[in-house]
Amino acid sequence: MTAGIITGVEEPVLKLVGIEKSYREGDGVLPILRQADFSLFPGEVCGLVAPSGAGKSTLLHIAGLLERPDTGEVIIGGRSCGSLDDGARTAIRRTEVGFVYQFHHLLPEFTAIENVVVPQMIAGLDRKEATRRGMELLSYMKLEQRASHLPAELSGGERQRVAIARSVANAPRVLFADEPTGNLDPKTSHYVFDALQALVRATGLSAVIATHNHELAARMDRRITLEEGRIVELE
């Protein structure tokens, strides 16, 4: 466990209570999550390790307020989000939550620095301060020399590091990463993961990182998996 994390004393930054989610499949129903409970504490990095189809992405989308559960509660920063309307949920995602996906999803017509600046300006920061913070993040990711390049001019690892910088630009409480190194070769994957973990530690973020890579997951504070729709702690 990371220094400074005292579970049971500090309030969790994220709490899932009794989450259930099913999808229609033809004439039937496919259950994905069943009474899933989970708490993530300040500064904690948790690895989510489960096979494809187990519900990792669904869990992250519900925890990050991109989807609504059928039943259950999502609590972020002590605030219950279940009854909030779409506008309020969007506002929380903009300031409290960061996402990194397997594919970078950078805006192709914008440079690296512009991709990091845009979400900050949407959140209300002026361009000068957003650019200063964006350059600081790109520098931390060792990308300051690539700031004026378009995504098409960057390598796969560089694009993913820009996406990581963008995901934390608005200083969220919690970061969700869904197979963030899944499209990269092993060497680049380790480099990007190291950069992600270093940035999370430096900013004091809490994070849930879904990965198939057990070696990477073993370097996190905790590991969880999904078994028959329930969240289970791994040794």
Side-chain angles (χ1 to χ4, degrees):
M1 200 68 70
T2 305
I5 299 171
I6 308 174
T7 56
V9 177
E10 289 191 79
E11 285 295 314
V13 67
L14 168 71
K15 189 171 184 179
L16 307 180
V17 183
I19 298 295
E20 303 222 356
K21 184 68 176 181
S22 299
Y23 295 105
R24 290 211 164 273
E25 190 177 63
D27 294 330
V29 174
L30 178 65
I32 302 297
L33 300 174
R34 300 176 179 175
Q35 287 295 308
D37 298 313
F38 175 67
S39 292
L40 183 71
F41 291 87
E44 189 174 39
V45 180
C46 181
L48 171 57
V49 186
S52 296
K56 295 192 303 295
S57 293
T58 298
L59 178 64
L60 294 183
H61 288 172
I62 289 174
L65 307 184
L66 290 171
E67 292 186 46
R68 292 182 185 270
D70 297 331
T71 61
E73 190 58 77
V74 179
I75 302 167
I76 296 177
R79 184 179 184 184
S80 176
C81 301
S83 61
L84 298 178
D85 61 26
D86 289 342
R89 289 164 66 88
T90 298
I92 291 174
R93 285 199 306 272
R94 188 177 296 149
T95 59
E96 304 289 309
V97 174
F99 284 95
V100 182
Y101 298 98
Q102 185 170 349
F103 187 70
H104 56 80
H105 294 298
L106 298 176
L107 299 171
E109 67 275 22
F110 291 136
T111 64
I113 184 60
E114 288 169 342
N115 267 280
V116 182
V117 164
V118 166
Q120 297 181 76
M121 294 184 66
I122 291 174
L125 209 62
D126 67 77
R127 178 180 289 275
K128 182 178 180 181
E129 179 59 20
T131 301
R132 184 200 66 76
R133 178 168 171 76
M135 285 302 300
E136 187 176 84
L137 287 168
L138 289 181
S139 177
Y140 194 89
M141 302 299 285
K142 296 180 171 58
L143 288 169
E144 64 271 23
Q145 301 302 319
R146 310 290 277 166
S148 61
H149 287 67
L150 295 171
E153 300 170 322
L154 303 174
S155 70
E158 288 172 337
R159 288 193 291 265
Q160 198 65 333
R161 280 184 282 149
V162 174
I164 291 168
R166 179 185 60 184
S167 72
V168 302
N170 285 333
R173 285 178 182 266
V174 59
L175 177 70
F176 299 103
D178 193 356
E179 297 287 353
T181 62
N183 281 331
L184 305 174
D185 64 81
K187 182 177 179 180
T188 306
S189 175
H190 278 271
Y191 188 86
V192 170
F193 180 81
D194 287 344
L196 170 60
Q197 192 171 44
L199 187 58
V200 167
R201 298 298 192 199
T203 55
L205 272 172
S206 303
V208 180
I209 303 174
T211 179
H212 283 108
N213 191 317
H214 286 265
E215 181 185 347
L216 295 182
R219 295 164 55 188
M220 302 183 210
D221 300 321
R222 291 164 59 199
R223 293 182 302 145
I224 58 173
T225 189
L226 287 165
E227 293 182 0
E228 297 183 346
R230 292 179 173 84
I231 297 173
V232 177
E233 296 277 345
L234 292 172
E235 293 296 329

